[in-house]
Amino acid sequence: MVQGIANNNYWNNEGRIFKRFNRSMVQVEIALADLPASASSAGIWLTKDSQNTLIVEKHRDITDPQYNTNVFIVERVNGNDTFVYVSPVLPSSNFDTYRIKKNLSGYEVYYNGAFVYAGNLNLTGYNKVELVGVARAAGDQIHAQFRNYKER
């Protein structure tokens, strides 16, 4: 669980749980409470290093409503973020299942068992899984829960 009140501005408030990853699939259930915040997110990240990460998250966003979604996918390559997928499904406070599956041509993302996106980012060397909760601005509140973590 990641919870608290942000004390910095611009996505510098975060809590992380991480572990080494050498499998081809990772899955976790995520709940993100609807608390007062300009934006907050809870997600599962596959990380190579500080400059290269695949981010799949539940994202609440009042400031930029186009990113207010249950499935938000960002490819961070060499420190540059590319927003590759934003679902039209609004974020719920319920637990939803997120799965990332590596394959030979990149990766696949599943949401509550349904396939939602295929990317061609090469995930070779992405050997760390992070469960991350982030709040955007000072005073924003976050309560993110993670359960039923699995990898294969």
Side-chain angles (χ1 to χ4, degrees), residues 4-132:
I5 298 175
N7 56 18
N8 292 308
N9 283 320
Y10 199 73
W11 297 112
N12 292 322
N13 309 277
E14 59 186 49
R16 297 173 181 268
I17 303 163
F18 62 90
K19 70 177 293 295
R20 287 284 179 213
F21 178 71
N22 61 4
R23 304 285 182 104
S24 62
M25 187 280 298
V26 61
Q27 176 177 298
V28 69
E29 293 178 25
I30 302 172
L32 179 63
D34 187 9
L35 296 175
S38 64
S40 61
S41 66
I44 185 167
W45 299 17
L46 282 185
T47 302
K48 181 176 184 178
D49 53 43
S50 64
Q51 298 293 302
N52 296 280
T53 303
L54 173 64
I55 301 167
V56 177
E57 57 191 13
K58 182 180 287 198
H59 196 95
R60 293 190 178 282
D61 204 320
I62 294 170
T63 304
D64 297 311
Q66 71 269 27
Y67 300 134
N68 190 43
T69 178
N70 248 354
V71 185
F72 185 60
I73 303 172
V74 177
E75 293 178 356
R76 180 174 295 154
V77 178
N78 298 323
N80 296 310
D81 289 350
T82 302
F83 305 98
V84 297
Y85 181 82
V86 180
S87 167
V89 178
L90 295 175
S92 73
S93 296
N94 301 327
F95 277 98
D96 293 298
T97 304
Y98 294 78
R99 180 185 322 146
I100 302 170
K101 183 178 175 186
K102 293 181 183 182
N103 61 36
L104 295 176
S105 61
Y107 66 93
E108 298 170 351
V109 174
Y110 296 82
Y111 167 71
N112 287 337
F115 170 79
V116 294
Y117 185 78
N120 60 7
L121 179 65
N122 181 347
L123 295 179
T124 303
Y126 285 62
N127 59 6
K128 183 167 61 170
V129 171
E130 301 181 57
L131 304 179
V132 181

